[in-house]
Amino acid sequence: MPTPTATEFWPLLVKSGLVAAGAAAALRREHEADPGRCGGGTSKGIAGWLAERGVITRWQAKRLAIGNLGPFFLGDYRLLERHDREGDALLFTARHDPSGRIVGVVLLNTKRCKRLDIWTEIVERTTAASHATDPMLSRTWSLEQHESSRLVVCEHVEGTSLADELDRHGPLPAVQAGVLVAQLARAVAELQSLGAVHGGLSLEVLRREPPPGGVPRTGRVRLLQFPLVGDTHRLPLRPGAT
């Protein structure tokens, strides 16, 4: 796909659905009045300028700048950012436009979901995760379908991994580490009681929420669970009873 010119960029912006035609026209007039201050005369510059203003996100800007129209929407969910993850499901930070709530959206692979055993496993794991109530566990809300797309909607958990925290600040104080292990055991026990296995415990999936007041190590630690951990389409190993 050829990179759009500055003139071609504006109709693409409207076509993407991210900005209404009237708002795009006003932004275009502002840009044309002083292009040097508003990102310059390239599609990349204009997209970057719009991202700096908060009109679109950096991820959306990068895609629009090369003429990629998304999709940027899955039903009522506006996709804001894409994240690297294991497997062939796609993880996005999204906004549920009717409510304004920021969520995580895992877009499932259509071909993989045609396998009955994989689809059954996804349904069962989503059901178990949605029933979990332990405060340490990330929330998993629903399995939804929008046209041909199937997705799992879950909590967007902000913060840094415990692995990164330990690299920066060193080991946890003994008492704090002991409390954390007890909380982790309680959370995993609840999943097991619901018939689920976490299957991916590590320091990378323990996430410290932004601390109140900016004081290090005072934010709550959360345990990411399905569908945020591992390959969403993976079938668990079930050794024979023998």
Side-chain angles (χ1 to χ4, degrees), residues 83-86 89-93 103-106 125 129 137-141 152-158 198 200 204-205 207 222-232:
H83 307 278
D84 293 333
R85 62 164 294 137
E86 180 184 345
L90 304 179
L91 172 61
F92 298 92
T93 299
V103 300
V105 168
V106 175
R125 294 183 71 187
L137 290 167
S138 61
R139 303 269 79 84
T140 300
W141 288 308
V152 184
V153 182
C154 57
E155 181 182 7
H156 170 64
V157 182
E158 296 184 343
H198 186 280
E204 295 291 343
V205 301
R207 185 163 297 179
R222 306 292 302 284
L223 173 61
L224 303 185
Q225 65 155 330
F226 182 86
L228 295 177
V229 176
D231 182 355
T232 314

Coordinates of all heavy atoms in Angstrom, one line a residue, residues 83-86 89-93 103-106 125 129 137-141 152-158 198 200 204-205 207 222-232:
H83 N -0.6 -4.7 21.5 CA 0.5 -5.2 22.4 C 1.0 -6.5 21.9 O 0.2 -7.4 21.4 CB 0.1 -5.3 23.8 CG -0.6 -4.1 24.4 ND1 0.1 -3.1 24.9 CD2 -1.9 -3.8 24.5 CE1 -0.7 -2.1 25.3 NE2 -1.9 -2.5 25.1
D84 N 2.3 -6.7 22.0 CA 2.9 -8.0 21.6 C 2.5 -9.1 22.6 O 2.4 -8.8 23.8 CB 4.4 -7.9 21.6 CG 5.0 -7.0 20.5 OD1 4.3 -6.9 19.5 OD2 6.1 -6.5 20.6
R85 N 2.3 -10.3 22.2 CA 1.9 -11.3 23.1 C 2.2 -12.7 22.4 O 2.4 -12.8 21.2 CB 0.4 -11.3 23.4 CG -0.6 -11.4 22.3 CD -2.0 -11.7 22.7 NE -2.0 -13.0 23.3 CZ -2.7 -13.3 24.4 NH1 -3.4 -12.3 25.1 NH2 -2.7 -14.5 25.0
E86 N 2.2 -13.7 23.3 CA 2.4 -15.1 22.8 C 1.2 -15.6 22.0 O 0.1 -15.3 22.3 CB 2.7 -16.0 24.0 CG 2.9 -17.4 23.7 CD 3.1 -18.3 24.9 OE1 3.3 -17.7 26.0 OE2 3.0 -19.5 24.8
A89 N -3.5 -14.9 18.9 CA -4.5 -14.0 19.2 C -3.9 -12.6 19.3 O -2.7 -12.4 19.6 CB -5.1 -14.4 20.6
L90 N -4.7 -11.5 19.1 CA -4.2 -10.2 19.1 C -4.7 -9.5 20.4 O -5.9 -9.5 20.6 CB -4.6 -9.4 17.9 CG -4.2 -10.1 16.5 CD1 -4.8 -9.2 15.4 CD2 -2.7 -10.2 16.4
L91 N -3.8 -8.8 21.1 CA -4.2 -8.1 22.3 C -4.2 -6.6 22.1 O -3.2 -6.0 21.6 CB -3.3 -8.4 23.5 CG -3.4 -7.6 24.7 CD1 -4.8 -7.8 25.4 CD2 -2.3 -8.0 25.7
F92 N -5.3 -5.9 22.4 CA -5.5 -4.5 22.3 C -5.9 -3.9 23.6 O -6.6 -4.4 24.4 CB -6.5 -4.2 21.2 CG -6.2 -4.7 19.8 CD1 -6.7 -5.9 19.4 CD2 -5.5 -3.9 18.9 CE1 -6.4 -6.4 18.1 CE2 -5.2 -4.3 17.7 CZ -5.7 -5.6 17.2
T93 N -5.4 -2.6 23.8 CA -6.1 -1.8 24.7 C -7.2 -1.0 23.9 O -6.9 -0.6 22.8 CB -5.1 -0.7 25.3 OG1 -4.1 -1.4 26.0 CG2 -5.9 0.2 26.3
V103 N -10.6 -0.9 28.4 CA -10.6 -2.4 28.6 C -9.5 -3.0 27.8 O -8.8 -2.4 27.0 CB -11.9 -3.0 28.2 CG1 -13.1 -2.4 29.0 CG2 -12.2 -2.9 26.7
G104 N -9.2 -4.3 28.1 CA -8.4 -5.1 27.2 C -9.3 -6.0 26.3 O -10.3 -6.4 26.7
V105 N -8.9 -6.1 25.1 CA -9.6 -6.9 24.1 C -8.7 -7.9 23.5 O -7.7 -7.5 22.9 CB -10.3 -6.0 23.0 CG1 -10.8 -6.9 21.9 CG2 -11.4 -5.2 23.6
V106 N -9.0 -9.2 23.6 CA -8.2 -10.2 22.9 C -9.0 -10.7 21.7 O -10.0 -11.3 21.9 CB -7.8 -11.3 23.9 CG1 -7.1 -12.5 23.1 CG2 -7.0 -10.8 25.0
R125 N -12.5 -21.7 29.8 CA -11.6 -20.9 30.5 C -12.1 -19.5 30.8 O -11.9 -18.8 31.8 CB -10.3 -20.8 29.8 CG -9.5 -22.2 29.7 CD -8.2 -22.1 29.0 NE -7.2 -21.3 29.8 CZ -6.0 -21.0 29.4 NH1 -5.7 -21.3 28.2 NH2 -5.2 -20.4 30.2
A129 N -12.7 -17.8 34.4 CA -12.0 -16.6 34.7 C -13.0 -15.5 35.1 O -12.8 -14.7 36.0 CB -11.2 -16.1 33.5
L137 N -6.6 -11.0 41.2 CA -6.7 -11.5 39.8 C -7.3 -10.4 38.9 O -8.2 -9.6 39.3 CB -7.7 -12.7 39.8 CG -7.1 -14.0 40.4 CD1 -8.3 -15.0 40.5 CD2 -6.0 -14.6 39.5
S138 N -6.7 -10.3 37.7 CA -7.3 -9.4 36.7 C -8.7 -9.9 36.4 O -9.0 -11.1 36.4 CB -6.4 -9.4 35.5 OG -6.3 -10.7 34.9
R139 N -9.6 -9.0 36.0 CA -10.9 -9.4 35.7 C -11.1 -9.8 34.3 O -10.5 -9.2 33.4 CB -11.9 -8.2 36.0 CG -11.8 -7.6 37.4 CD -12.8 -8.3 38.3 NE -12.4 -9.6 38.8 CZ -11.6 -9.9 39.8 NH1 -11.2 -8.8 40.6 NH2 -11.3 -11.1 40.2
T140 N -11.9 -10.8 34.1 CA -12.3 -11.3 32.7 C -13.8 -11.2 32.6 O -14.5 -11.8 33.5 CB -11.8 -12.7 32.4 OG1 -10.4 -12.7 32.5 CG2 -12.2 -13.1 31.0
W141 N -14.3 -10.4 31.7 CA -15.7 -10.1 31.7 C -16.6 -10.9 30.7 O -17.6 -11.5 31.1 CB -15.9 -8.6 31.4 CG -15.5 -7.8 32.6 CD1 -15.9 -7.9 33.9 CD2 -14.6 -6.7 32.6 NE1 -15.3 -7.0 34.7 CE2 -14.5 -6.2 33.9 CE3 -13.8 -6.1 31.6 CZ2 -13.6 -5.1 34.2 CZ3 -13.0 -5.0 31.9 CH2 -12.9 -4.6 33.2
V152 N -12.4 -11.8 23.5 CA -12.6 -11.9 25.0 C -12.3 -10.5 25.5 O -11.2 -9.9 25.2 CB -11.6 -12.9 25.6 CG1 -11.9 -13.0 27.1 CG2 -11.7 -14.3 24.9
V153 N -13.2 -10.0 26.3 CA -13.1 -8.6 26.9 C -12.7 -8.8 28.4 O -13.3 -9.6 29.1 CB -14.4 -7.8 26.8 CG1 -14.2 -6.4 27.4 CG2 -14.9 -7.8 25.3
C154 N -11.7 -8.1 28.7 CA -11.1 -8.2 30.1 C -10.6 -6.9 30.6 O -10.7 -5.8 29.9 CB -10.0 -9.2 30.1 SG -8.6 -8.8 29.0
E155 N -10.1 -6.9 31.8 CA -9.6 -5.7 32.5 C -8.3 -5.2 31.8 O -7.5 -6.1 31.5 CB -9.4 -5.9 34.0 CG -8.9 -4.7 34.7 CD -8.7 -5.0 36.2 OE1 -8.8 -6.2 36.6 OE2 -8.5 -4.1 37.0
H156 N -8.2 -3.9 31.7 CA -6.9 -3.4 31.3 C -6.1 -3.0 32.6 O -6.5 -2.1 33.3 CB -7.0 -2.1 30.4 CG -5.8 -1.4 30.2 ND1 -4.7 -1.9 29.5 CD2 -5.4 -0.1 30.5 CE1 -3.7 -1.0 29.4 NE2 -4.1 0.1 30.1
V157 N -5.1 -3.8 32.9 CA -4.3 -3.5 34.1 C -3.1 -2.7 33.8 O -2.2 -3.2 33.1 CB -3.9 -4.9 34.8 CG1 -3.2 -4.6 36.1 CG2 -5.2 -5.7 35.0
E158 N -3.0 -1.5 34.4 CA -1.8 -0.7 34.2 C -0.7 -1.0 35.2 O -1.0 -1.7 36.2 CB -2.2 0.8 34.3 CG -3.2 1.3 33.2 CD -3.5 2.7 33.4 OE1 -3.2 3.3 34.4 OE2 -3.9 3.3 32.4
H198 N -3.9 -21.8 36.2 CA -3.3 -20.5 35.6 C -2.4 -20.9 34.5 O -2.5 -20.3 33.4 CB -2.6 -19.8 36.8 CG -2.1 -18.4 36.3 ND1 -1.0 -18.3 35.6 CD2 -2.7 -17.2 36.5 CE1 -0.8 -17.0 35.4 NE2 -1.8 -16.3 35.9
G200 N 0.8 -20.1 33.9 CA 1.8 -19.2 33.4 C 2.4 -18.4 34.5 O 2.7 -17.2 34.2
E204 N 6.7 -11.9 35.4 CA 6.3 -11.1 34.3 C 4.7 -10.9 34.3 O 4.2 -9.9 33.9 CB 6.6 -11.7 32.9 CG 8.1 -11.8 32.7 CD 8.7 -10.4 32.5 OE1 8.0 -9.4 32.2 OE2 10.0 -10.3 32.6
V205 N 4.0 -11.8 34.9 CA 2.5 -11.7 34.9 C 2.0 -11.2 36.2 O 0.8 -11.1 36.5 CB 1.9 -13.1 34.6 CG1 2.3 -13.5 33.2 CG2 2.1 -14.1 35.6
R207 N 1.8 -7.8 38.2 CA 1.9 -6.4 37.7 C 1.6 -5.5 38.9 O 0.6 -5.6 39.5 CB 1.0 -6.1 36.6 CG 1.1 -4.7 36.0 CD 0.5 -4.7 34.6 NE 1.2 -5.5 33.7 CZ 0.9 -5.7 32.4 NH1 -0.2 -5.0 31.9 NH2 1.5 -6.5 31.6
R222 N -1.1 -7.1 41.0 CA -2.2 -7.9 40.4 C -1.6 -9.1 39.7 O -0.5 -9.0 39.2 CB -3.0 -7.1 39.4 CG -3.5 -5.7 40.0 CD -4.6 -6.0 41.0 NE -5.7 -6.7 40.4 CZ -6.6 -6.2 39.6 NH1 -6.6 -4.9 39.2 NH2 -7.6 -6.9 39.1
L223 N -2.3 -10.2 39.6 CA -1.9 -11.4 38.9 C -2.8 -11.4 37.6 O -4.0 -11.6 37.6 CB -2.2 -12.6 39.7 CG -2.0 -14.0 39.0 CD1 -0.5 -14.1 38.5 CD2 -2.3 -15.1 39.9
L224 N -2.1 -11.3 36.4 CA -2.8 -11.4 35.2 C -3.2 -12.9 35.0 O -2.5 -13.8 35.3 CB -1.9 -11.0 34.0 CG -1.3 -9.6 34.1 CD1 -0.6 -9.2 32.8 CD2 -2.4 -8.5 34.3
Q225 N -4.4 -13.0 34.4 CA -4.9 -14.4 34.2 C -5.5 -14.4 32.8 O -5.4 -13.5 32.0 CB -6.0 -14.8 35.2 CG -7.3 -13.9 35.1 CD -8.5 -14.6 35.7 OE1 -8.6 -15.9 35.6 NE2 -9.4 -13.9 36.3
F226 N -6.1 -15.6 32.4 CA -6.7 -15.7 31.1 C -7.7 -14.6 30.8 O -8.5 -14.2 31.7 CB -7.5 -17.0 31.1 CG -8.1 -17.3 29.7 CD1 -7.4 -17.9 28.7 CD2 -9.5 -16.9 29.5 CE1 -8.0 -18.2 27.5 CE2 -10.0 -17.2 28.2 CZ -9.3 -17.8 27.2
P227 N -7.6 -13.9 29.6 CA -6.9 -14.3 28.4 C -5.6 -13.5 28.3 O -5.0 -13.5 27.2 CB -7.8 -13.9 27.3 CG -8.4 -12.6 27.8 CD -8.6 -12.8 29.3
L228 N -5.1 -12.9 29.3 CA -3.9 -12.0 29.2 C -2.6 -12.8 29.3 O -1.5 -12.2 29.1 CB -3.9 -11.0 30.3 CG -5.1 -10.0 30.2 CD1 -5.1 -9.0 31.3 CD2 -5.0 -9.2 28.9
V229 N -2.6 -14.1 29.6 CA -1.4 -14.9 29.9 C -1.3 -16.0 28.9 O -2.3 -16.8 28.7 CB -1.4 -15.4 31.3 CG1 -0.2 -16.3 31.5 CG2 -1.4 -14.2 32.3
G230 N -0.2 -16.2 28.3 CA 0.0 -17.3 27.4 C -0.7 -17.3 26.1 O -1.3 -16.3 25.7
D231 N -0.7 -18.4 25.4 CA -1.4 -18.5 24.1 C -2.9 -18.8 24.4 O -3.2 -19.9 24.9 CB -0.8 -19.7 23.3 CG -1.4 -19.8 21.9 OD1 -2.4 -19.2 21.6 OD2 -0.9 -20.7 21.1
T232 N -3.8 -17.9 24.0 CA -5.2 -18.0 24.2 C -5.8 -19.3 23.6 O -6.7 -19.9 24.2 CB -5.9 -16.8 23.7 OG1 -5.3 -15.6 24.1 CG2 -7.4 -16.8 24.2

